[in-house]
Amino acid sequence: MIHIRTFRAPDDPEACSKFIVGHKRLLELYGITQITSNKQDWVEDPKTMVILVEDKETKFVYGGARIQIKTDQYELPIATAIGKYDPKIYDMINADEERGGTCELCGLWNSREVAGMGIGSHVLARVGSVLAAKLPIVSLFVLCAPVTVRMGKRVGCVIETSLGNNGLFYYPKDDLVATAMRLRNPFDLSNADDSEREKILSLRDNPHQLFEERGPKGMYQLEYNLDIPNLHDPV
């Protein structure tokens, strides 16, 4: 059974280690060695929420993502990635932080064992939108590869065309393109596709569910467990 769960990074160091190893291995397959979301200091940050996709019995990690909340100590990876090309990203982030807080969905990856099932794009983007409503933030940023832009739009994100070249940047290498996107209000899903909006709202109301998912390779069962233990503990 494929299982997806969420937790604060410092609460499960072993799972964070598996996340880091799997993400690094995948990036190396594509010749990517310098990417801001692959830094490892987030493992000690209680404001970083980890989304982990794993085998429920063996605990083998199939993929994951992080939601990193902007703090004085931790800048958002998207700012570090594209700020040198367009410093307006800092103004955008700071404005949202002043309005009530902001975060980034970053470090999305999936292993080759589940390639083609939609986990690395559809599922993780959906969970990011689900969790955004639980956190002390008013917006969520994401830097998308071309194959994930469509999924960002499906869950309600919009391309920030005022940044870069209509939202586009050459990152993390000169021959790769990334798109700056933002969920401008986690509670306004008017831009989301109807089917995604329905699933997001259902998972917000009931974070423990078993869904029959449809990916490019067919149907499979996925168990969601999207409560974040210790979320409101003091840090």
Side-chain angles (χ1 to χ4, degrees), residues 27-184:
L27 292 174
E28 289 174 346
L29 287 175
Y30 291 92
I32 300 172
T33 56
Q34 300 295 326
I35 185 168
T36 55
S37 64
N38 198 39
K39 293 181 179 180
Q40 300 178 16
D41 52 355
W42 55 266
V43 299
E44 299 179 353
D45 177 23
K47 295 291 187 180
T48 292
M49 311 300 150
V50 179
I51 307 165
L52 200 71
V53 184
E54 62 186 357
D55 185 283
K56 191 172 183 179
E57 285 72 40
T58 67
K59 303 304 180 184
F60 180 85
V61 174
Y62 292 120
R66 308 190 324 267
I67 293 184
Q68 186 168 317
I69 297 176
K70 170 72 169 66
T71 66
D72 292 340
Q73 185 176 359
Y74 293 97
E75 184 60 83
L76 296 186
I78 190 173
T80 307
I82 68 175
K84 58 186 175 182
Y85 306 112
D86 191 340
K88 291 196 299 292
I89 183 63
Y90 291 105
D91 297 332
M92 192 175 289
I93 290 171
N94 290 337
D96 282 359
E97 185 179 22
E98 290 178 4
R99 285 197 302 120
T102 189
C103 65
E104 180 179 351
L105 179 66
C106 56
L108 280 75
W109 69 278
N110 64 264
S111 68
R112 290 196 284 188
E113 286 84 354
V114 294
M117 296 174 68
I119 286 174
S121 54
H122 291 70
V123 171
L124 292 173
R126 177 185 305 142
V127 173
S129 185
V130 171
L131 297 184
K134 300 174 179 286
L135 301 175
I137 54 95
V138 297
S139 70
L140 177 145
F141 287 84
V142 60
L143 190 60
C144 291
V147 295
T148 55
V149 170
R150 184 173 66 89
M151 192 56 219
K153 291 180 178 179
R154 280 176 59 90
V155 300
C157 295
V158 296
I159 297 175
E160 290 298 344
T161 55
S162 66
L163 299 173
N165 180 14
N166 287 318
L168 301 181
F169 294 85
Y170 289 105
Y171 178 84
K173 301 195 298 182
D174 289 343
D175 58 344
L176 296 176
V177 176
T179 301
M181 304 186 74
R182 179 169 53 150
L183 184 62
R184 294 179 176 174

